[in-house]
Structure formats: C-alpha cells, structure tokens
Amino acid sequence: MTAGPIINISQELGSKLSPAASIHLISSPEDFEEFFVSWSGFNRKEPSAVVKIATEEDAVQAVLWATSKSIPFAVKGGGHSVFCTIGKEGIIIDLTAFNHISVHEETVDVQGGGLTEDVISAVFERGRCVVTGTCDKVGVTGAVLGGGLGPIQGVHGMMIDNLLSARVITAEGKLVTASESENPDLFWALRGAGHRFGLVTQVTFKTHDLSSLGSKDGSIWNAFMVWGEHQLEQLTDVVNSFNWNKHTSAYFAFANMPPDFKPTIATILIFFGSDEEADVYFKPILSLGPLMKQIQRLPYNLINMLERPQQALGGYKSQFGAGVQTINPKKMVEIYKKYSEFVTAHPNAVRSAVVIEIFGMDKVREIDSESTAFAHRDVNFWTFPLAWYEDPATEADATKFGNEVRQLFRDGDSREEAVAYVNFNRGDESHAMTYGSEERVERLLSLKKKWDPRGVFGGLVAQLE
C-alpha cells in the first residue's frame, strides 16, 4: 500500500470532522510520543496518522474514510491493550477525548473513551455501583467487549451481564444499536468477542444501589497481607479449596514491593458485608498467620485502589493469561522460584508480577453460558503473569519467563484443555482456547461474515482496550 492516501488524510477527512477533532501525521518516533501514549511499548508500531475524534460522527467519518480506501486502522480507548498498535500502512482512531459519562436513575451511558475510574466515580456520587474491571485506567468499552471480569461480579454478574445496549459503527460505516431487541445476533457477539465486530462508540449498563454490596454506605472490607515463602504451599492449598462465594473477591500475587523491592508473596481479600462477617468467613486464611496484615474499609469508589501500580503507562509489558480450575501448590512454588529468578536477573524488570484474580462466581454461573459469546463461566481462577521491563533487550527473556509461568499454571490445572481470556491474551492463543467449543467458534465466524466480511476489524483472537 502506498502512503499517498494516508498523506492526503488531512484534506480528505479533516473537512468532515468536528472542530474539536484533530489529525496528526506521524513522521517520527517523537511525533508518535507526543500524540499517543499507551500502557506498553511491547509490539509497538508507528502509524502514519493518529485521528483524535471528539464526536460520534467523527468516528463514523474516520471509519468511512479508512474503509473506502482499504486503509487498516486500530482503535485506542484506554490504551491498555498490547494490540492497539498499527504500522505505517494504517492509522489509529483515538477515542480518548470522546469520554462523556451520563448517569441516569438505574443506568449509565459511557462513551468509547470513558475510563473505569471515571464511571465508578460518576455512579458512586449518585449512591450507585456498576460492574467494571479491576483496573481504573482501563477503557470501559474495551473491557466489556472481552467479557468484563471484575470484583463485584459475584453479586451482579460480569460486565457483559449488565450491558443493556451498545452503539456500534459497522464495517460499512453504519451506526447501529445492538441490544436484546435490536440486532440481537451482533449483541451476542459483542459480549465476549466484540473487539472484532465493530467500533463501539457508547455502551449502556445497569447500575445497582450501593447497599447491594453488603453495607448501607457501600463501604467494602479489604485486607492486604504479606506471606513468607515457607507459607506458600499451605496458603495455596487453602486458597484453592476456599469457597469463593458472592461476598468475596481476592488477588494472589508475586510482586516486588517497597521499600525493599524484593520478591514478595501478597494477597488482597475483599468482602461484601460487615467486619464481623468477614473475620468469620476468612478465618481459614487469616489463621495461617500472615507476616503482615492491614485491614480497612474502603469506599466503593476506591475498590481498585491497591491494583493501581500495575496500570501506569509506559515501559514494555508482556502479558500471558490463562484460566484454570485449580491451583497446584507444588507448581506455585516453581512459579515463585521462576519469578524470583527473572526479576533478580533483570533489575529493569523489577515491576513484573504474577497475579491470580479470584472473583465470586455465584451470579455469573446463574446466567446461561450460551447467552453471550463469552464461553468460560466455569473458570475459578484467572492467572496473569506480567513481564514489565524498561530495556527492550529483555524481551526474549521476558517471553521465556511468561510462557514458562503460563504453562506451569496449565500443567497444575485439573482440566485438560487450555483456556484463555481475550482481554489477557498475548496473541498466540487459538480461537477454541479463547471462545470455547467448535460450535461457538463457528457461530462467531458466521456472524463475522455477516457483520464484517472484509475483516475491517481484524481477526477474532486479538483485542483492543
């Protein structure tokens, strides 16, 4: 593809955009740094242009212009995906400034550039809560299109279970609504495989009263604990067999933590209810005697506060996700050893981590698994090895580390088939791993032929957040 059509983008597309929109031609890495900031430099490419939209019509015109000239594009919402990148053959459509949030009595509308922390704050001010992911800086739209795992899903279901409708720009450049009553086949696909079916300009979610989280004021019991390596097997055994019901969520992590920045075993426990109920419920874990324990009540709008360090933009981050039914204590010891060896050998990778996300599944499993494109409602633990390094020369060792840790989780699992979550995918996962059975994949491919026959929005295994 020649660069001509992209060079002409300012003349051909610029006149069709709103005054607040802008087009930035990228001729150097310095240009790209000025106009595009993302979570990770891994797999980073430099496009020919970045189109910053300000209105829904801007997005429609950008898609129409690109598709009419067969120019590929990537979409940036929160910028936390390793796939929101494209080379000189294409452009990036940046939704960052298109981020308005409208709160209604029992629903909330979020434009394509809205971030998790902003929607949480907006509904919290109205005495409401909404199901979101765990990362405050991540784009809401990107998160929900992959399924939307999050800390209050045990009470209210996943993000896709609370999604009422979406406004979508199709591959033909048409703006349509997808819901249970309008374009229900597209709505089915959007809820779990949505990144490759259209550019979503707005989503509408159900919201819930704060009291549904187990306290009148919506405050949440939160415990942060640090453990010794000698406790790892016993802790893993208890975590593996624990009844993670609708009142609970947790994070189990290997990370380098201040002030020493040495490999540390940490857990975060969340309980939706009173302090007394939490103490009783988590007694099997608390009685193991953590080396350090800090218990507090947090307001709902700070529910993701302790996960914020992993969300900083910049650096190189490689992720390797896997879903498992069981966590093998022996394998966890091996994983901790590999983690310690990796961060010790590579001081520039000190912010790397291995995280296990544990969410209540009660409400999630009440919902028919065939009702959405998301296939993995039976998974108990989502594992997330993250190699975060500053020197690109570390990439080979980071890839080796991530692949080995991901495989150790899978080797220790009780299930035979490998399972992946699209929002954690690295890009080497199969359709079946990400979307489930052959029948489900065939259904998605059939819908792809209907809604995006030219593959304008790419394949089915990559995602944008």
Side-chain angles (χ1 to χ4, degrees), residues 321-386:
V324 298
Q325 295 299 95
T326 53
I327 311 171
N328 186 297
K330 299 291 186 185
K331 297 295 182 181
M332 282 292 280
V333 172
E334 291 185 54
I335 290 168
Y336 182 69
K337 181 179 179 181
K338 285 191 177 294
Y339 171 76
S340 300
E341 290 173 347
F342 174 68
V343 296
T344 300
H346 300 283
N348 78 97
V350 69
R351 290 190 283 183
S352 300
V354 177
V355 180
I356 302 172
E357 296 187 340
I358 310 168
F359 304 124
M361 297 296 291
D362 289 23
K363 187 65 175 181
V364 174
R365 288 173 180 160
E366 290 178 8
I367 298 168
D368 182 4
S369 62
E370 297 300 319
S371 65
T372 66
F374 183 82
H376 304 310
R377 294 176 184 268
D378 61 332
V379 170
N380 291 327
F381 307 102
W382 288 102
T383 63
F384 186 30
L386 173 68

Side-chain angles (χ1 to χ4, degrees), residues 124-304:
F124 178 68
E125 291 176 0
R126 303 279 287 271
R128 309 288 289 179
C129 62
V130 62
V131 180
T132 67
T134 63
C135 298
D136 282 344
K137 299 295 183 181
V138 164
V140 171
T141 301
V144 68
L145 295 180
L149 304 171
I152 70 172
Q153 70 177 41
V155 182
H156 294 301
M158 297 170 62
M159 290 179 72
I160 52 174
D161 303 327
N162 290 267
L163 181 66
L164 296 174
S165 65
R167 292 172 64 83
V168 187
I169 303 172
T170 70
E172 296 180 350
K174 295 181 179 179
L175 183 62
V176 303
T177 296
S179 67
E180 292 286 4
S181 59
E182 296 182 75
N183 301 304
D185 59 343
L186 176 60
F187 191 53
W188 182 87
L190 289 179
R191 290 174 292 165
H195 311 91
R196 296 311 184 185
F197 280 86
L199 190 161
V200 176
T201 62
Q202 180 174 295
V203 287
T204 298
F205 294 102
K206 290 184 287 188
T207 65
H208 308 272
D209 194 274
L210 276 177
S211 62
S212 65
L213 300 182
S215 62
K216 292 181 180 180
D217 62 356
S219 64
I220 297 163
W221 184 91
N222 183 290
F224 174 76
M225 288 170 281
V226 173
W227 307 84
E229 185 176 357
H230 65 284
Q231 298 173 294
L232 181 54
E233 282 196 54
Q234 186 180 16
L235 174 62
T236 302
D237 191 53
V238 172
V239 167
N240 193 47
S241 60
F242 198 74
N243 177 25
W244 298 99
N245 68 9
K246 67 180 181 179
H247 299 288
T248 60
S249 286
Y251 304 90
F252 192 160
F254 302 151
N256 284 291
M257 302 181 62
D260 298 327
F261 286 98
K262 294 181 179 179
T264 303
I265 301 165
T267 57
I268 298 172
L269 303 180
I270 295 172
F271 189 82
F272 304 113
S274 69
D275 293 358
E276 294 74 19
E277 291 172 317
D279 289 340
V280 171
Y281 200 82
F282 280 124
K283 185 177 179 180
I285 296 177
L286 297 171
S287 63
L288 295 178
L291 302 183
M292 190 273 280
K293 178 176 64 177
Q294 179 181 347
I295 296 178
Q296 59 187 326
R297 292 199 74 86
L298 295 175
Y300 158 71
N301 64 321
L302 297 182
I303 191 170
N304 294 332

Side-chain angles (χ1 to χ4, degrees), residues 80-154:
H80 276 71
S81 168
V82 296
F83 297 101
C84 55
T85 185
I86 200 164
K88 290 295 183 183
E89 73 281 5
I91 65 172
I92 289 176
I93 300 176
D94 188 341
L95 307 181
T96 305
F98 185 63
N99 59 11
H100 185 69
I101 296 166
S102 301
V103 182
H104 309 289
E105 187 173 350
E106 295 184 346
T107 63
V108 60
D109 302 327
V110 185
Q111 291 182 337
L115 301 183
T116 297
E117 64 179 349
D118 296 326
V119 70
I120 287 177
S121 295
V123 300
F124 178 68
E125 291 176 0
R126 303 279 287 271
R128 309 288 289 179
C129 62
V130 62
V131 180
T132 67
T134 63
C135 298
D136 282 344
K137 299 295 183 181
V138 164
V140 171
T141 301
V144 68
L145 295 180
L149 304 171
I152 70 172
Q153 70 177 41

